[in-house]
Amino acid sequence: MKDIQFSYAKATTDAAVASYKAQVAQAQSDLVNGTGLGNDFLGWLTLPSDIRCQLDDIQATANLLREKCDIIVCIGIGGSYLGAKAVNEALLSSFAQLEGGKQIVYAGQNIGEDYLYELQNLLKGKRFGIISISKSGTTTEPALAFRLLKTQLEQQAGKAAAKELIVCITDAKRGALRTLATQEGYKTFVIEDNVGGRFSVLSPVGLLPIACAGFDIYKLIDGAERMMEVCGINTPFEQNPAALYAAARNVLYQKEGKKIELLVNFHPKLHYVSEWWKQLYGESEGKEHKGIFPASVDFTTDLHSMGQYIQDGERHLMETVISVAKPNHEVIFPHDEQNLDGLNFLAGKRVDEVNKMAELGTQIAHVDGGVPNMKIELPELNEYYLGELIYFFERGCGISGYLLGINPFNQPGVEAYKKNMFALLDKPGYEAESKAIKARL
Ligand code: PA5
């Protein structure tokens, strides 16, 4: 079976990439031996094999929820929702919401009152269940959504029935969500201490909502486990895709001043893979006033909005294109006798052939325009290759963070807004901050 492929041929040279070989070896060794920064958060490294013993329980829980619910609400923010959403959106039909069947919807990823009102409205009288995910168990956005939706579920289904329709995924002992789940007797899964939120998609955090959407979590883990081997310390640098990706993007950032990496796709279903990737790299690397800024575009859609800037604007961009070799479905472009639209030159071709030429044409144009172009090729869009892609990016992120000299596994900067918000909302315990911030208004 072919694996996903990474190539930097249109971005930089073998020699430039090889100049990072020793640093990458050190980073890999620090990851594997736990000798680097943030070494208490390395559980993700072996998660693909460690999680196997929980897959049957996760699948059985998903089966129960699917049996009892028409809509499953996944509550979580950041790493507690983006991985599941990325995989589900990549695999669901683009029009799943209009096609009926089981619906997976998300909450707790914002504090939009209209969003929550509309969600409550949608759930009125429906058979719904809740997966509430928060590692800390104290994050405001999901906690707020959970209280609202749990109240609604209990009113609609009754407290006893609601209990069977709620699953919590949180820390083993700490946090308000753990206390609540224990008190109410909800089914729970644990997020291990050594797995950070944005590295948790291959834990119950991602796997339960993915199984609830009807996708094969065993194949996802098979793919991830395969990449664990391919990207591991025993694979030589020159054949190790995660090592090469980390090295190539750091060549472009540290030596060529490319400060922004655009993750590009030519498949709209990959939009949320980019959102997940942005969180993974942004929250991991943006520290100490350093770090490549992760951004994303969906092509060809955004060629008609951001295309101009990418081609001609400031030259601080690099691109990483996710290319899917073989779409899951075939659409042949029809011949038309009158040819009024002048498109008969496409007749008999697959739509994907047009898309692929757009991809190639864009690559050539952007490279000519001074935007180095890296490429990740997925043989197909399925659970197995998404599992490979997830682990590839996680491993690349761990290595790349160490090449930058920062701790990729913490997120101290995220606390600043929370402190202000709590002070402004008069949360008990924030009296001094409240006084200070209000004096500034
Ligand atoms: O990667 C991270 O650690 C964060 O993005 C968290 O996932 C996010 O802040 C949500 O945290 P929690 O799961 O504790 O609610």
Side-chain angles (χ1 to χ4, degrees), residues 76-224:
I77 194 165
S80 288
Y81 101 102
L82 279 165
K85 177 131 178 156
V87 173
N88 285 346
E89 297 283 310
L91 297 176
L92 279 165
S93 156
S94 309
F95 306 100
Q97 298 240 324
L98 300 174
E99 285 171 356
K102 299 282 165 231
Q103 300 291 329
I104 307 291
V105 296
Y106 301 85
Q109 81 282 36
N110 61 52
I111 324 177
E113 187 163 353
D114 287 349
Y115 184 93
L116 286 163
Y117 174 89
E118 286 156 14
L119 179 57
Q120 286 185 310
N121 225 16
L122 172 84
L123 297 173
K124 261 187 205 148
K126 303 267 174 39
R127 294 189 330 142
F128 79 95
I130 300 173
I131 305 173
S132 187
I133 310 171
S134 177
K135 181 174 177 185
S136 62
T138 56
T139 308
T140 309
E141 292 90 336
L144 186 145
F146 186 41
R147 185 188 285 199
L148 282 170
L149 299 180
K150 169 180 169 316
T151 306
Q152 181 173 357
L153 186 58
E154 287 173 351
Q155 279 164 1
Q156 284 183 202
K159 202 162 163 70
K163 192 182 131 187
E164 309 303 318
L165 301 170
I166 294 175
V167 179
C168 296
I169 308 177
T170 188
D171 185 86
K173 296 195 190 85
R174 288 181 299 261
L177 186 58
R178 170 54 62 185
T179 310
L180 202 156
T182 309
Q183 195 91 6
E184 302 277 14
Y186 299 143
K187 163 82 180 166
T188 62
F189 288 96
V190 170
I191 312 174
E192 298 299 337
D193 277 348
N194 62 359
V195 178
R198 58 190 173 277
F199 288 87
S200 68
V201 50
L202 301 173
S203 79
V205 170
L207 297 176
L208 182 61
I210 293 168
C212 282
F215 299 117
D216 191 333
I217 54 173
Y218 297 85
K219 284 203 180 120
L220 189 85
I221 293 298
D222 285 347

Side-chain angles (χ1 to χ4, degrees), residues 59 189 283 316 367 387 439:
Q59 187 63 57
F189 288 96
E283 210 165 75
H316 51 191
V367 171

